[in-house]
Protein backbone atom coordinates (compact mmCIF):
# COMPACT_ATOMS: atom_id res chain seq x y z
CA UNK A 1 0.00 0.00 0.00
CA UNK A 2 1.46 3.36 -1.02
CA UNK A 3 1.67 6.32 1.33
CA UNK A 4 -1.11 8.04 -0.60
CA UNK A 5 -3.35 4.96 -0.37
CA UNK A 6 -2.72 4.80 3.40
CA UNK A 7 -3.62 8.50 3.61
CA UNK A 8 -6.86 7.88 1.68
CA UNK A 9 -7.70 4.94 3.95
CA UNK A 10 -7.12 7.14 7.02
CA UNK A 11 -9.27 9.88 5.50
CA UNK A 12 -12.02 7.35 4.77
CA UNK A 13 -11.90 6.27 8.42
CA UNK A 14 -12.12 9.90 9.59
CA UNK A 15 -14.90 10.63 7.10
CA UNK A 16 -16.83 7.54 8.19
CA UNK A 17 -16.74 8.84 11.76
CA UNK A 18 -17.47 12.53 11.16
CA UNK A 19 -19.32 12.87 7.86
CA UNK A 20 -22.65 11.74 9.39
CA UNK A 21 -22.53 14.82 11.69
CA UNK A 22 -21.85 17.11 8.75
CA UNK A 23 -24.48 15.35 6.62
CA UNK A 24 -27.05 15.90 9.38
CA UNK A 25 -26.23 19.62 9.36
CA UNK A 26 -26.67 19.77 5.59
CA UNK A 27 -29.98 17.94 5.86
CA UNK A 28 -31.16 20.37 8.58
CA UNK A 29 -30.07 23.27 6.39
CA UNK A 30 -32.14 21.87 3.52
CA UNK A 31 -35.11 21.45 5.87
CA UNK A 32 -34.77 25.11 6.95
CA UNK A 33 -35.04 26.05 3.28
CA UNK A 34 -38.36 24.18 3.25
CA UNK A 35 -36.95 21.27 1.28
CA UNK A 36 -36.98 17.60 2.18
CA UNK A 37 -33.73 15.62 2.58
CA UNK A 38 -34.85 13.75 -0.53
CA UNK A 39 -34.33 17.02 -2.39
CA UNK A 40 -30.64 16.83 -1.52
CA UNK A 41 -30.45 13.28 -2.86
CA UNK A 42 -32.27 14.40 -6.01
CA UNK A 43 -29.76 17.26 -6.29
CA UNK A 44 -26.90 14.77 -6.04
CA UNK A 45 -28.50 12.69 -8.81
CA UNK A 46 -28.65 15.80 -11.03
CA UNK A 47 -25.00 16.56 -10.23
CA UNK A 48 -24.07 12.97 -11.12
CA UNK A 49 -25.80 13.32 -14.50
CA UNK A 50 -23.96 16.58 -15.12
CA UNK A 51 -20.70 14.84 -14.19
CA UNK A 52 -21.46 11.96 -16.58
CA UNK A 53 -22.26 14.42 -19.39
CA UNK A 54 -18.96 16.23 -18.72
CA UNK A 55 -17.15 12.90 -18.99
CA UNK A 56 -18.86 12.17 -22.34
CA UNK A 57 -17.94 15.65 -23.57
CA UNK A 58 -14.36 15.12 -22.34
CA UNK A 59 -14.46 18.21 -20.12
CA UNK A 60 -11.43 18.44 -17.84
CA UNK A 61 -12.11 17.37 -14.26
CA UNK A 62 -11.57 19.39 -11.12
CA UNK A 63 -8.13 20.87 -10.51
CA UNK A 64 -6.14 18.94 -7.93
CA UNK A 65 -3.14 20.18 -5.94
CA UNK A 66 0.09 20.06 -7.99
CA UNK A 67 1.83 16.96 -6.61
CA UNK A 68 -1.41 14.98 -6.50
CA UNK A 69 -2.28 15.96 -10.07
CA UNK A 70 1.18 14.87 -11.26
CA UNK A 71 1.07 11.54 -9.44
CA UNK A 72 -2.55 10.75 -10.38
CA UNK A 73 -3.17 12.72 -13.59
CA UNK A 74 -6.71 11.37 -14.14
CA UNK A 75 -7.95 11.55 -10.53
CA UNK A 76 -9.63 14.92 -11.16
CA UNK A 77 -12.13 13.19 -13.43
CA UNK A 78 -13.20 10.67 -10.75
CA UNK A 79 -16.67 11.14 -9.27
CA UNK A 80 -15.33 11.32 -5.72
CA UNK A 81 -13.46 14.57 -6.48
CA UNK A 82 -16.40 16.41 -8.05
CA UNK A 83 -18.13 19.41 -6.52
CA UNK A 84 -21.39 18.89 -4.60
CA UNK A 85 -22.50 22.31 -5.86
CA UNK A 86 -20.96 22.65 -9.33
CA UNK A 87 -21.27 25.71 -11.49
CA UNK A 88 -24.00 25.53 -14.12
CA UNK A 89 -21.52 26.75 -16.75
CA UNK A 90 -18.06 25.77 -17.85
CA UNK A 91 -15.32 28.37 -17.52
CA UNK A 92 -11.67 28.84 -18.35
CA UNK A 93 -9.26 28.21 -15.50
CA UNK A 94 -7.21 31.43 -15.37
CA UNK A 95 -3.98 29.63 -14.37
CA UNK A 96 -3.96 26.63 -16.69
CA UNK A 97 -6.27 28.04 -19.41
CA UNK A 98 -8.16 24.71 -19.26
CA UNK A 99 -11.92 24.65 -19.78
CA UNK A 100 -13.47 22.99 -16.72
CA UNK A 101 -16.43 23.16 -14.36
CA UNK A 102 -15.71 24.97 -11.12
CA UNK A 103 -17.79 25.06 -7.94
CA UNK A 104 -20.85 27.28 -7.77
CA UNK A 105 -20.19 30.83 -6.68
CA UNK A 106 -20.67 31.19 -2.91
CA UNK A 107 -22.92 34.27 -3.10
CA UNK A 108 -26.16 32.45 -4.11
CA UNK A 109 -25.57 29.80 -1.43
CA UNK A 110 -24.93 32.54 1.14
CA UNK A 111 -28.22 34.20 0.12
CA UNK A 112 -30.06 30.89 0.65
CA UNK A 113 -28.34 30.49 4.00
CA UNK A 114 -29.49 33.99 4.99
CA UNK A 115 -33.08 33.10 4.01
CA UNK A 116 -32.89 29.91 6.10
CA UNK A 117 -31.43 31.89 9.00
CA UNK A 118 -34.26 34.43 8.82
CA UNK A 119 -36.87 31.66 8.55
CA UNK A 120 -35.44 29.95 11.64
CA UNK A 121 -35.90 33.08 13.75
CA UNK A 122 -32.23 33.19 14.79
CA UNK A 123 -31.40 36.83 15.41
CA UNK A 124 -27.60 36.52 15.48
CA UNK A 125 -25.62 37.33 12.34
CA UNK A 126 -24.17 34.21 10.73
CA UNK A 127 -22.69 33.00 7.49
CA UNK A 128 -21.88 29.66 5.94
CA UNK A 129 -18.41 30.05 7.42
CA UNK A 130 -20.12 30.09 10.83
CA UNK A 131 -21.06 26.44 10.20
CA UNK A 132 -17.36 25.61 9.87
CA UNK A 133 -16.62 27.22 13.24
CA UNK A 134 -19.61 25.57 14.84
CA UNK A 135 -18.68 22.16 13.42
CA UNK A 136 -15.12 22.43 14.80
CA UNK A 137 -16.30 23.65 18.20
CA UNK A 138 -18.83 20.82 18.54
CA UNK A 139 -16.22 18.23 17.58
CA UNK A 140 -13.90 19.52 20.29
CA UNK A 141 -16.72 19.58 22.85
CA UNK A 142 -17.48 15.94 22.02
CA UNK A 143 -13.87 15.02 22.76
CA UNK A 144 -12.39 14.81 19.26
CA UNK A 145 -8.63 15.28 19.42
CA UNK A 146 -7.24 18.56 18.13
CA UNK A 147 -5.14 16.89 15.40
CA UNK A 148 -8.23 15.27 13.87
CA UNK A 149 -10.05 18.60 13.85
CA UNK A 150 -6.95 20.20 12.31
CA UNK A 151 -6.98 17.59 9.54
CA UNK A 152 -10.73 17.97 8.88
CA UNK A 153 -10.43 21.75 8.62
CA UNK A 154 -7.32 21.56 6.46
CA UNK A 155 -5.21 23.74 8.74
CA UNK A 156 -1.47 23.53 8.13
CA UNK A 157 -0.67 24.64 11.67
CA UNK A 158 -2.32 23.24 14.82
CA UNK A 159 -2.12 26.75 16.35
CA UNK A 160 -4.81 27.85 13.91
CA UNK A 161 -7.05 25.03 15.11
CA UNK A 162 -6.33 25.83 18.76
CA UNK A 163 -8.42 28.99 18.36
CA UNK A 164 -11.51 26.79 18.61
CA UNK A 165 -10.51 25.56 22.06
CA UNK A 166 -11.10 29.08 23.39
CA UNK A 167 -14.67 29.00 22.10
CA UNK A 168 -15.54 25.46 23.20
CA UNK A 169 -17.30 25.51 26.55
CA UNK A 170 -17.09 21.91 27.74
CA UNK A 171 -14.86 18.85 27.51
CA UNK A 172 -12.31 20.65 25.34
CA UNK A 173 -9.60 18.08 25.96
CA UNK A 174 -11.94 15.09 25.73
CA UNK A 175 -11.00 14.04 29.26
CA UNK A 176 -13.59 12.25 31.31
CA UNK A 177 -13.25 12.25 35.07
CA UNK A 178 -13.75 8.95 36.90
CA UNK A 179 -15.96 10.94 39.27
CA UNK A 180 -18.39 11.68 36.43
CA UNK A 181 -19.55 8.07 36.71
Amino acid sequence: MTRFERHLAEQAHVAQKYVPHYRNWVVRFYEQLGKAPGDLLAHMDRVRKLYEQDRKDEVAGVELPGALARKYPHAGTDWCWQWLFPSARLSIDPRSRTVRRHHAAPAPLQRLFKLALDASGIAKPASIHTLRHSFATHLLEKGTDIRTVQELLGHANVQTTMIYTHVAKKNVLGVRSPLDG
Side-chain angles (χ1 to χ4, degrees):
M1 182 180 275
T2 67
R3 186 173 161 200
F4 177 69
E5 289 168 334
R6 275 194 308 276
H7 176 72
L8 286 181
E10 290 169 8
Q11 292 302 314
H13 174 72
V14 168
Q16 196 174 31
K17 187 173 180 183
Y18 296 106
V19 164
H21 299 293
Y22 188 71
R23 185 177 58 232
N24 289 341
W25 284 25
V26 172
V27 167
R28 278 189 246 136
F29 174 68
Y30 248 66
E31 288 170 345
Q32 285 295 320
L33 294 175
K35 299 181 180 223
D39 292 341
L40 181 59
L41 297 175
H43 167 78
M44 290 174 71
D45 286 340
R46 289 189 300 275
V47 170
R48 181 69 185 234
K49 287 178 184 151
L50 183 63
Y51 159 77
E52 289 168 356
Q53 185 61 49
D54 283 352
R55 296 294 61 79
K56 285 180 189 168
D57 296 341
E58 297 182 1
V59 174
V62 299
E63 184 178 16
L64 299 178
L68 189 61
R70 283 190 300 277
K71 188 168 184 179
Y72 300 99
H74 302 291
T77 59
D78 288 346
W79 168 243
C80 64
W81 288 98
Q82 304 308 304
W83 303 109
L84 179 58
F85 297 102
S87 172
R89 289 180 248 160
L90 297 174
S91 60
I92 298 173
D93 186 324
R95 287 173 287 204
S96 67
R97 310 302 296 163
T98 303
V99 175
R100 66 175 80 241
R101 189 174 308 280
H102 293 278
H103 56 80
L109 190 55
Q110 181 60 43
R111 275 194 299 277
L112 287 173
F113 182 82
K114 176 80 171 110
L115 290 172
L117 192 67
D118 292 343
S120 72
I122 297 172
K124 288 187 170 194
S127 68
I128 292 197
H129 195 76
T130 308
L131 294 177
R132 177 180 169 90
H133 290 285
S134 181
F135 179 63
T137 303
H138 285 291
L139 286 175
L140 289 170
E141 288 178 344
K142 288 182 183 247
T144 305
D145 68 284
I146 193 79
R147 296 285 181 187
T148 302
V149 176
Q150 174 191 1
E151 183 73 22
L152 287 169
L153 296 179
H155 292 159
N157 189 329
V158 75
Q159 294 297 84
T160 307
T161 313
M162 292 295 288
I163 293 167
Y164 296 104
T165 62
H166 300 296
V167 180
K169 299 212 184 320
K170 58 184 179 182
N171 200 24
V172 176
L173 299 176
V175 177
R176 184 183 157 123
S177 168
L179 301 176
D180 289 339

